[in-house]
Amino acid sequence: MDTFLIVMVSLGVTGLFLLGVPIFLVIGLWVVGISLVIDFTLANIGVTLFEGLNFFGLLALPLFILTGDLINNAGIAKRLSDFAFSILGWMRGGLGMASLGACGLFAAISGSNSATTATIGSIMYPEMRENGYDKNFAAATIAAGGTVGIIIPPSIIFIVYGFLLNLSISDLFIGGLLPGLLMVLAMQFTCWYVARKNGWGHLIRFDVARVARNALGAWLGFFAILLVIWGIYSGKFSPTEAAGVTAGFCLVVGLIMYPLNKMLGDVQENESQGKQFARALVVKGFRVQDLPDLIMRSGQITGLLAPLIAVSVVMQQILSLLGANVFVTELLANLGGYYPILFACMLIVLIAGTVLESLPNTIILAPILAPIAAGIGVDPIHFAVIFLVGDAIGFITPPYGLNLYVASGITGIPYFQLLRYIVPYLVALLAVWVVIILIPDFSTILLTQDGAGVYQHAK
Amino acid sequence: MALVRWIDANIEKIIIIISYFTMAAIIFVEVIRRFAFNQQEPWSSTIPILLFLWVTWIGAAYNVKIRTHLSFDELRMRLPYNAQFCCLVLDAFLWLLFACIVLYFSIQQVQLSHDNFAIVTGTDDIMQWWFYMATPVAWGLLCVRVLQNLRSDYLKWRSSKPFSISVSMLGE
């Protein structure tokens, strides 16, 4: 009888999801429904919505979101995009590839995929349009590029994963570095291939001076990236502290840069070399009075994501009460060997990712699947990377692909129209995923180096 | 009256901006202090989280206000007008239902922490229940926002104006 009721509740909330009820409520109501069915106290909801988030490591989430907004508003994200274009502009599809590269660079400072898509998308989409790219493909490119936002460290989702499974968040960050780069390269290759076939884009000559000038212009971006990576890799900061330091650095820089930029004035022809040099070093920055709006943007995104985390934690508790862990473990145990079980896990992550947002997906599934993977001898960091790359792919899979929504929101292209153009990127990312699974070294090699400062990772 | 209207327009912003900024500032300053002077306040790892919880739940209310909570709206956008209105009423009803549960149990939690004189770890005199108030206060505010939206939807429906269904998660 219980099983019947549980199925009914689950079908009921799925119906609500399809009707467009907010996902937070869908999960929340499922929890309420199941708690009533199995006669479990509802008091748990009130407590966990608060205590589920009461964890220092999770603070990196709002801080990295804030960093992303600071980087964007200070004009540093634009400089990173320009730099990527100066390197790749000579190739067919170079602007698209530069957008993907810029996503990777931005992802190395910020921790969120939707922020990556939104920031780089609003900079690069107009440029790709001007440059003769098909508008649907351009929008699909930025949607796909955003997926690396959660794989290249720092990443919100790695923080949540580490928080759930008691893994070192720094180790997870380092584990995501190479797979994230691989994803960027694979998507760039796809972009190059599609653009070459269609003859999109105007080429610029490769010019060392231009690259050097743009690299200089993006120095603040590189500094922030190095600060994060050095801090975490050397063990000087916890991820939360790295986030705080980076946010603080970007805030101070942004405020200092504004008056400096004003002093330089408008661009004039025939500027002296010194002035051109100064112009490259100085970014737009922002004023103190711009800060409330900027913080509010981050606050809004935090207010979207953090409640989802809290309610998903409650859902995971109820699932383990229902014995979902045992059920799935037994189900997969029948499959036998290493690869069948691993690929079954991937399939579960991928299918769940088509409807669930990445945070609920991770919180609900990771505690069930990770022990199974550990049981068959998969390195925990390697599995985390596998799991989260699958999660990232879920950002661009219909019916519910968050990045597609964000891209559709910035570009005004209808959601369904994007789907066809996302397919090549989806194929590329799935291929990378398989490679990451087959070659554990991509995820773990940086951790096994001696003297990295991180504790020796047990193989 | 002007004051009430101003509070209505800005209450979430004020709370979020103050809490968010304080939270980030505490962490930034404390890391610098630890590096430069080998000092750190014991509460620097507890107070920021509690501020984060204020940002989270007031942020949830704000997202209700500007209708940006994540949802799958492809089907709803294609529904007939009256069915859309029914969906909006359903949303409001479900929000209120869930809010009642959260309010009931989180108020109990605040009371418990108040009666026990629970103190924030790392401090001498900062009461935990001040921060635990985040959940009930924010969910109360969320209810107000749900009712305000319901009223505006009802007025739109009465005058047959289109609803704002598909809103990007990034607002505006």
Side-chain angles (χ1 to χ4, degrees):
Chain A
M1 190 56 196
D2 268 8
T3 320
F4 174 72
L5 284 175
I6 290 169
V7 172
M8 289 312 286
V9 171
S10 306
L11 286 177
V13 298
T14 313
L16 292 179
F17 167 76
L18 291 175
L19 275 178
V21 172
I23 295 172
F24 174 84
L25 268 183
V26 170
I27 299 177
L29 292 167
W30 184 87
V31 168
V32 172
I34 301 291
S35 298
L36 291 176
V37 169
I38 62 171
D39 208 12
F40 185 66
T41 170
L42 289 175
N44 187 40
I45 297 174
V47 176
T48 311
L49 286 187
F50 193 92
E51 293 300 341
L53 296 174
N54 196 348
F55 165 64
F56 188 68
L58 213 53
L59 272 180
L61 180 139
L63 292 171
F64 277 126
I65 292 175
L66 181 63
T67 308
D69 278 325
L70 290 167
I71 288 275
N72 186 20
N73 278 284
I76 300 174
K78 173 87 176 77
R79 293 294 180 84
L80 288 170
S81 304
D82 290 347
F83 167 71
F85 183 56
S86 73
I87 289 188
L88 295 164
W90 58 277
M91 287 166 89
R92 192 52 86 185
L95 189 61
M97 293 163 74
S99 305
L100 294 163
C103 283
L105 289 172
F106 185 77
I109 313 173
S110 151
S112 123
N113 82 94
S114 45
T116 307
T117 299
T119 308
I120 302 300
S122 41
I123 297 171
M124 295 303 261
Y125 175 75
E127 300 208 11
M128 281 196 271
R129 290 286 292 134
E130 272 172 37
N131 221 267
Y133 282 74
D134 178 274
K135 67 173 186 195
N136 298 309
F137 182 75
T141 303
I142 56 168
T147 57
V148 298
I150 64 160
I151 302 299
I152 293 185
S155 145
I156 288 168
I157 204 103
F158 276 94
I159 296 165
V160 172
Y161 192 99
F163 159 58
L164 283 171
L165 290 166
N166 253 333
L167 289 169
S168 147
I169 292 169
S170 307
D171 280 6
L172 286 171
F173 277 181
I174 295 162
L177 196 55
L178 291 181
L181 292 176
L182 200 62
M183 285 165 74
V184 172
L185 289 177
M187 288 191 290
Q188 285 182 328
F189 176 78
T190 313
C191 177
W192 169 78
Y193 181 79
V194 175
R196 199 183 59 133
K197 222 172 66 179
N198 293 291
W200 290 328
H202 311 297
L203 309 189
I204 56 166
R205 276 220 359 248
F206 185 77
D207 175 359
V208 180
R210 189 211 307 264
V211 173
R213 200 164 57 239
N214 280 304
L216 190 69
W219 72 279
L220 281 168
F222 296 131
F223 188 81
I225 293 174
L226 286 177
L227 190 65
V228 174
I229 294 183
W230 169 78
I232 294 173
Y233 202 82
S234 69
K236 295 271 185 230
F237 308 136
S238 72
T240 303
E241 291 173 340
V245 169
T246 322
F249 167 76
C250 295
L251 177 72
V252 172
V253 162
L255 290 175
I256 294 175
M257 284 293 177
Y258 188 84
L260 290 178
N261 190 40
K262 270 274 163 315
M263 265 157 56
L264 282 172
D266 292 331
V267 181
Q268 284 147 10
E269 281 178 44
N270 302 325
E271 282 181 338
S272 70
Q273 285 226 312
K275 196 155 187 192
Q276 279 181 10
F277 184 72
R279 210 177 275 293
L281 289 182
V282 171
V283 293
K284 184 177 82 190
F286 41 72
R287 293 164 298 174
V288 176
Q289 58 263 46
D290 298 330
L291 280 179
D293 277 350
L294 192 157
I295 294 176
M296 203 48 215
R297 275 190 83 81
S298 302
Q300 188 236 328
I301 299 293
T302 306
L304 272 185
L305 299 180
L308 268 181
I309 296 178
V311 79
S312 306
V313 171
V314 194
M315 180 171 179
Q316 166 57 32
Q317 289 172 345
I318 300 287
L319 271 176
S320 44
L321 274 178
L322 288 178
N325 305 34
V326 182
F327 177 74
V328 177
T329 311
E330 281 173 4
L331 198 72
L332 294 185
N334 296 328
L335 289 170
Y338 182 89
Y339 285 114
I341 292 181
L342 206 48
F343 278 96
C345 289
M346 286 171 63
L347 203 64
I348 294 173
V349 174
L350 194 64
I351 291 173
T354 60
V355 285
L356 281 173
E357 211 274 323
S358 66
L359 288 166
N361 196 13
T362 304
I363 295 166
I364 293 161
L365 285 178
I368 298 179
L369 297 180
I372 299 177
I376 55 169
V378 185
D379 180 280
I381 302 289
H382 180 213
F383 186 74
V385 173
I386 295 175
F387 187 98
L388 295 171
V389 171
D391 231 358
I393 293 174
F395 280 125
I396 52 166
T397 50
Y400 192 78
L402 185 57
N403 279 13
L404 298 172
Y405 278 106
V406 177
S408 151
I410 327 173
T411 61
I413 297 170
Y415 176 79
F416 279 108
Q417 208 170 312
L418 276 177
L419 294 185
R420 199 155 65 85
Y421 291 83
I422 203 78
V423 173
Y425 288 117
L426 198 53
V427 173
L429 288 177
L430 288 172
V432 171
W433 199 23
V434 173
V435 171
I436 291 171
I437 288 164
L438 296 180
I439 309 176
D441 273 352
F442 274 119
S443 323
T444 53
I445 195 155
L446 292 178
L447 288 166
T448 49
Q449 300 295 323
D450 284 330
V454 180
Y455 74 89
Q456 194 68 25
H457 182 68
K459 249 284 195 193
Chain B
M1 201 57 210
L3 180 72
V4 174
R5 218 170 285 137
W6 187 82
I7 290 178
D8 175 56
N10 294 303
I11 178 81
E12 286 100 342
K13 290 188 183 173
I14 297 164
I15 299 176
I16 290 177
I17 290 168
I18 294 175
S19 314
Y20 213 126
F21 186 80
T22 316
M23 167 189 88
I26 291 175
I27 294 186
F28 179 56
V29 170
E30 288 299 308
V31 176
I32 302 294
R33 279 187 54 200
R34 201 190 67 204
F35 261 78
F37 311 109
N38 274 325
Q39 302 175 329
Q40 193 166 6
E41 293 295 338
W43 46 261
S44 68
S45 59
T46 51
I47 299 273
I49 311 171
L50 299 169
L51 290 168
F52 167 56
L53 283 153
W54 274 96
V55 174
T56 299
W57 295 112
I58 297 287
Y62 181 69
N63 278 299
V64 166
K65 181 186 172 196
I66 60 170
R67 300 172 188 263
T68 43
H69 270 287
L70 300 179
S71 63
F72 174 79
D73 50 17
E74 292 305 310
L75 186 66
R76 183 178 286 194
M77 266 160 41
R78 288 166 177 75
L79 288 178
Y81 186 73
N82 283 328
Q84 285 186 344
F85 181 62
C86 290
C87 283
L88 291 169
V89 175
L90 176 72
D91 277 3
F93 170 73
L94 295 174
W95 273 121
L96 294 175
L97 180 75
F98 195 70
C100 286
I101 297 171
V102 174
L103 278 172
Y104 179 77
F105 289 106
S106 58
I107 288 172
Q108 276 190 352
Q109 199 193 8
V110 171
Q111 238 157 18
L112 194 69
S113 142
H114 175 255
D115 294 346
N116 287 335
F117 299 102
I119 289 169
V120 175
T121 321
T123 64
D124 297 330
D125 48 4
I126 297 187
M127 304 305 286
Q128 245 175 27
W129 69 270
W130 298 345
F131 295 100
Y132 277 50
M133 286 291 284
T135 338
V137 168
W139 278 86
L141 184 61
L142 188 144
C143 288
V144 174
R145 295 312 184 190
V146 167
L147 292 172
Q148 284 175 334
N149 281 352
L150 188 63
R151 179 168 170 274
S152 101
D153 288 337
Y154 174 72
L155 293 177
K156 276 184 191 162
W157 181 68
R158 278 274 300 276
S159 51
S160 306
K161 282 188 197 133
F163 300 118
S164 44
I165 300 261
S166 181
V167 184
S168 149
M169 67 171 276
L170 300 161
E172 283 114 45

